[in-house]
Amino acid sequence: MNYKNQHVFLCGFMGSGKSTLGRQLAKRMNRQFIDLDKFIENKVQKSIADLFKEQGEKTFRLLETRYLFEVIKIKQPAVVALGGGTACTALNLDIVKQNSIMVYISVSANELFERLRKSNTKRPLIKGLSPEALNLYIHRTLQEREPFYKQAHLQLNGSGLNDSQLFDAVRHYAP
Ligand code: S3P
């Protein structure tokens, strides 16, 4: 297996840096960058926030899976930032693992709390939560999701991680 003909998919919790790192990594690798949330927004011509508000999380999850499959079919290897919940079903996890080098950007619950507390968030799942409720949500949800995230081919500590280190890890995994 050679990283050159593989998609690189980044998974991890909201606020773990998937989009920022993904964009930088794509540039470094000379590839297209796809943010799955943005991809969905373009397809449905609606923001994720409006999608949640108008059609609920269930519909969002169906669309997320549908467009994940579309992204996977793209021939040209890309760098893809998944949404925080994308990898957390058996179906999605399997398809991602089988069709990419999957990387988990791991950030501790306490650091996620510090990051997400500061960002004036449009994220529908945590919008309007008090600091206490946000902290609880992060700890609980991360615990539920980590068994999925941890099945990625690579797990990197996202605290202080840069795109050059990320690229090295990908190359090392599939030279
Ligand atoms: C979600 C994370 C969001 C977005 C949606 C649901 C989640 O993506 O897909 O709001 O379930 O954690 P980011 O992780 O890019 O914020």
Side-chain angles (χ1 to χ4, degrees):
M1 192 174 56
N2 182 316
Y3 76 88
K4 285 185 182 145
N5 38 40
Q6 300 282 320
H7 290 308
V8 176
F9 276 64
L10 305 182
C11 76
F13 208 81
M14 289 175 258
S16 60
K18 303 178 293 281
S19 300
T20 307
L21 280 165
R23 191 171 298 110
Q24 294 165 347
L25 178 67
K27 207 167 176 188
R28 188 173 280 276
M29 294 176 83
N30 230 331
R31 290 181 174 205
Q32 182 189 10
F33 170 66
I34 300 169
D35 187 306
L36 183 61
D37 282 341
K38 297 272 177 315
F39 189 87
I40 298 169
E41 288 180 335
N42 284 333
K43 290 286 181 180
V44 302
Q45 288 294 301
K46 224 176 243 188
S47 68
I48 299 291
D50 284 347
L51 201 56
F52 264 76
K53 209 160 46 195
E54 292 166 20
Q55 288 169 273
E57 181 171 356
K58 217 166 165 188
T59 302
F60 168 74
R61 295 297 172 199
L62 291 173
L63 290 167
E64 187 178 38
T65 297
R66 168 166 163 199
Y67 291 118
L68 170 66
F69 276 64
E70 245 185 57
V71 165
I72 278 169
K73 278 192 286 181
I74 295 171
K75 288 274 178 310
Q76 194 83 5
V79 174
V80 181
L82 298 173
T86 317
C88 303
T89 69
L91 174 68
N92 292 0
L93 177 65
D94 276 359
I95 198 81
V96 169
K97 271 183 80 176
Q98 283 165 24
N99 292 279
S100 75
I101 299 172
M102 179 180 174
V103 185
Y104 170 29
I105 311 292
S106 151
V107 175
S108 72
N110 289 339
E111 188 168 343
L112 288 170
F113 173 65
E114 290 308 322
R115 292 184 187 190
L116 290 169
R117 182 164 80 127
K118 281 179 205 138
S119 66
N120 175 16
T121 183
K122 292 195 192 105
R123 292 173 167 110
L125 290 173
I126 55 173
K127 196 174 168 224
L129 295 185
S130 67
E132 294 74 24
L134 176 65
N135 198 22
L136 189 66
Y137 176 85
I138 293 169
H139 277 81
R140 213 171 34 205
T141 312
L142 183 62
Q143 205 172 28
E144 283 166 17
R145 290 181 171 183
E146 270 213 311
F148 293 95
Y149 295 153
K150 285 191 164 176
Q151 290 185 57
H153 303 111
L154 287 168
Q155 175 172 343
L156 297 174
N157 183 345
S159 191
L161 179 68
N162 64 40
D163 58 300
S164 154
Q165 294 161 331
L166 180 52
F167 189 28
D168 283 347
V170 168
R171 275 190 294 195
H172 188 255
Y173 173 75

